[in-house]
């Protein structure tokens, strides 16, 4: 383990640092936002992860996956709308 190349360490260090940053930002959001807004942001995070995955890795997504992302986006938009009640 100690004699592994730097690229192998970075392959694990960068995602773990981003994950840690994301968790800290989530906790900060919990202090300043209501739960409904936080849930909408979490759903949008899933959407952006799918799109960035497609963009960065140039992996073709099938029709079913694109429709799933579209439905998730529409659900997040509708959940974010104020209710009339």
């Amino acid at each position: 383990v100690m004699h592994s190349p730097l690229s192998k360490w970075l392959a694990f260090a960068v995602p773990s640092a981003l994950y840690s940053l994301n968790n800290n930002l989530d906790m900060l959001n919990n202090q300043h936002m209501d739960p409904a807004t936080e849930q909408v942001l979490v759903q949008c995070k899933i959407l952006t992860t799918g799109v960035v995955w497609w963009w960065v890795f140039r992996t073709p997504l099938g029709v079913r996956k694109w429709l799933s992302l579209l439905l998730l986006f529409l659900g997040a938009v509708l959940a974010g709308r104020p209710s009339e009640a």
Side-chain angles (χ1 to χ4, degrees):
V1 172
M2 296 301 290
H3 301 290
S4 297
L6 180 62
S7 62
K8 191 171 226 174
W9 282 92
L10 288 176
F12 290 99
V14 171
S16 64
L18 291 174
Y19 186 76
S20 176
L21 176 68
N22 181 46
N23 283 342
N24 286 317
L25 289 174
D26 280 344
M27 290 300 119
L28 187 64
N29 280 341
N30 286 337
Q31 294 175 357
H32 300 286
M33 288 186 188
D34 60 303
T37 305
E38 177 70 21
Q39 189 62 32
V40 170
L41 287 175
V42 168
Q43 296 301 322
C44 288
K45 184 169 55 175
I46 296 170
L47 172 69
T48 56
T49 301
V51 172
V52 169
W53 180 275
W54 166 77
W55 181 62
V56 169
F57 293 110
R58 300 290 184 205
T59 304
L61 297 178
V63 174
R64 184 181 295 175
K65 290 181 183 178
W66 280 115
L67 285 175
S68 299
L69 288 172
L70 178 66
L71 286 174
L72 183 65
F73 173 72
L74 290 175
V77 167
L78 292 175
R81 293 186 61 185
S83 63
E84 296 178 12

